Amino acid sequence: MIGLIILIVVLVIVLAAAPFLLDEKGYVLIAFNNTTIEGTIVSFVVLLVAVLAVCYLGYKLLRYLLSFYRHTKHSFFARSQQRKQAAIEQALWSVINDDYEQLEQALANNSAPAQYQDIRLALLAKAALANNQPEKAAERLVEISPEQQLKVAKLWLASGHSSAIESQLRVRAESKKATPLELKVYTEVLVQQQHFTALEAFLPRLLRKKVLNDEQWTQVFCAYFASFPADARTSKYKQLPKKLQQYAYIAYLTEMAKAGQLTAIESDLIKLVKYNEQHQQLAYILSKATAGNAQKLQSSIQERLIKDEDNNALLLALACLANAQGDYDLAARVFDKALNNDNKKYYMQQAALSYEKSAQIDKALVLYK
């Protein structure tokens, strides 16, 4: 731009000086339709210089005004974006620290950048769930864009409204590119919605993909067997493919014990007594047992304890079995020996039951402190 201006100035100087050098004033005539403009070269050169100077100054002024506007506008929006960015960062720190009240304050009034609006809604839904407000959480989740819904599937599950994403999850779970997480979540949705016929058809795919661990298999099958009457559970268990039966075994025994069917599964439970690595599972199963009669199982446990009297898992199994059979004095004596800080969390209710029924209320009260 500066080079062009210098060139024009040089040309103007040459034109202005030429008449004097040639001793001729020069003459300019411009005619346009009925309009005629005439004058000497010197006057036109002066006019041209004046016009160019005005145009240049106008150009510089316009650039300054535009740059001032852009800077002011950018600064305003930059500060706004910074505030929104700070709000979403504060919300994330609040989640890390389980401070959901602060989270809601940070994200009030849509305080989040546009690209984080779905994350903002998800965080608010999580806060609502933490405050035991599942309906409010569902309202937030509905507002999340459709393409992001599967990313908040766990929140839908926690809200109890997982039917909203079941169809989307089914499509993903049935595709060849389904991730282990999508398969797990779809399984949880089927369980929550009690769609056990669909679950039965889906179980072989879960087995092939190897996405569930033993504990997760037990949780799935516990819900599955609990959906059937007690007298139908054995037939349902036997109808499962052999490879699935090994994953369903503990869940089947647990639900049968919970239904008071100890007699029906007593022989299976006696088999668990034989192996040390299965004693924890036996104790877990019997901790869920209700009233029942399994004298052979009790004898088997007691015989094993004679050889291994410090086997804590078997002691807990015996105590829980004694509760189920109504022998609360025996259960209380065994819990006195077996209960400790490591297992108290899991067997506190069973221990409290034995103490209450054997008139040892003081011991029961200590457990709840």
Side-chain angles (χ1 to χ4, degrees), residues 229-356:
D231 57 358
R233 291 171 187 171
T234 300
S235 61
K236 280 293 181 180
Y237 170 73
K238 291 181 178 179
Q239 287 171 12
L240 292 171
K242 290 292 184 182
K243 290 183 178 180
L244 279 172
Q245 282 185 7
Q246 61 180 317
Y247 293 101
Y249 189 56
I250 299 302
Y252 161 68
L253 295 177
T254 301
E255 291 305 312
M256 289 293 283
K258 192 181 294 185
Q261 300 292 313
L262 284 178
T263 302
I265 60 171
E266 187 174 17
S267 58
D268 292 287
L269 297 178
I270 291 173
K271 292 177 184 177
L272 298 181
V273 178
K274 297 178 181 179
Y275 306 100
N276 287 342
E277 62 271 17
Q278 293 182 322
H279 291 169
Q280 289 286 357
Q281 293 175 329
L282 177 63
Y284 169 78
I285 293 167
L286 292 175
S287 71
K288 306 298 181 182
T290 56
N293 184 21
Q295 290 296 328
K296 291 181 181 179
L297 174 61
Q298 180 175 332
S299 298
S300 179
I301 294 174
Q302 289 174 325
E303 288 174 6
R304 184 61 183 266
L305 283 170
I306 293 174
K307 302 176 184 178
D308 188 8
E309 60 182 16
D310 294 322
N311 188 320
N312 198 260
L314 270 186
L315 287 170
L316 291 169
L318 177 60
C320 293
L321 178 59
N323 269 345
Q325 297 187 126
D327 193 348
Y328 301 112
D329 289 328
L330 172 61
R333 291 197 305 273
V334 177
F335 274 124
D336 284 341
K337 182 178 181 179
L339 202 64
N340 56 45
N341 290 331
D342 293 331
N343 57 46
K344 178 180 175 181
K345 176 181 176 181
Y346 303 101
Y347 295 94
M348 184 173 68
Q349 290 185 338
Q350 283 281 341
L353 174 64
S354 69
Y355 292 141
E356 289 171 7

Side-chain angles (χ1 to χ4, degrees), residues 118-332:
D118 285 339
I119 294 177
R120 169 185 172 270
L121 292 167
L123 289 172
L124 288 172
K126 190 173 182 65
L129 289 170
N131 294 325
N132 198 27
Q133 297 174 312
E135 296 301 326
K136 184 178 179 181
E139 291 174 6
R140 298 291 191 184
L141 293 171
V142 168
E143 298 178 45
I144 293 175
S145 55
E147 60 272 16
Q148 303 293 344
Q149 285 292 341
L150 293 185
K151 293 182 179 179
V152 291
K154 281 287 188 179
L155 295 179
W156 276 113
L157 274 164
S159 72
H161 295 78
S162 57
S163 58
I165 56 166
E166 183 175 352
S167 58
Q168 277 185 281
L169 268 175
R170 182 174 62 252
V171 173
R172 288 296 306 162
E174 291 176 352
S175 71
K176 293 182 179 180
K177 296 182 179 180
T179 65
L181 178 60
E182 288 168 340
L183 295 173
K184 288 180 185 178
V185 174
Y186 181 55
T187 303
E188 291 180 57
V189 170
L190 291 177
V191 170
Q192 186 178 87
Q193 297 300 316
Q194 298 186 355
H195 293 167
F196 293 110
T197 301
L199 178 64
E200 287 177 349
F202 191 63
L203 287 175
R205 179 171 173 79
L206 282 177
L207 184 61
R208 288 196 305 273
K209 293 294 183 178
K210 299 179 180 179
V211 296
L212 300 182
N213 58 35
D214 290 342
E215 183 179 352
Q216 290 167 336
W217 275 115
T218 298
Q219 291 173 349
V220 169
F221 277 115
C222 277
Y224 174 73
F225 289 120
S227 68
F228 301 107
D231 57 358
R233 291 171 187 171
T234 300
S235 61
K236 280 293 181 180
Y237 170 73
K238 291 181 178 179
Q239 287 171 12
L240 292 171
K242 290 292 184 182
K243 290 183 178 180
L244 279 172
Q245 282 185 7
Q246 61 180 317
Y247 293 101
Y249 189 56
I250 299 302
Y252 161 68
L253 295 177
T254 301
E255 291 305 312
M256 289 293 283
K258 192 181 294 185
Q261 300 292 313
L262 284 178
T263 302
I265 60 171
E266 187 174 17
S267 58
D268 292 287
L269 297 178
I270 291 173
K271 292 177 184 177
L272 298 181
V273 178
K274 297 178 181 179
Y275 306 100
N276 287 342
E277 62 271 17
Q278 293 182 322
H279 291 169
Q280 289 286 357
Q281 293 175 329
L282 177 63
Y284 169 78
I285 293 167
L286 292 175
S287 71
K288 306 298 181 182
T290 56
N293 184 21
Q295 290 296 328
K296 291 181 181 179
L297 174 61
Q298 180 175 332
S299 298
S300 179
I301 294 174
Q302 289 174 325
E303 288 174 6
R304 184 61 183 266
L305 283 170
I306 293 174
K307 302 176 184 178
D308 188 8
E309 60 182 16
D310 294 322
N311 188 320
N312 198 260
L314 270 186
L315 287 170
L316 291 169
L318 177 60
C320 293
L321 178 59
N323 269 345
Q325 297 187 126
D327 193 348
Y328 301 112
D329 289 328
L330 172 61

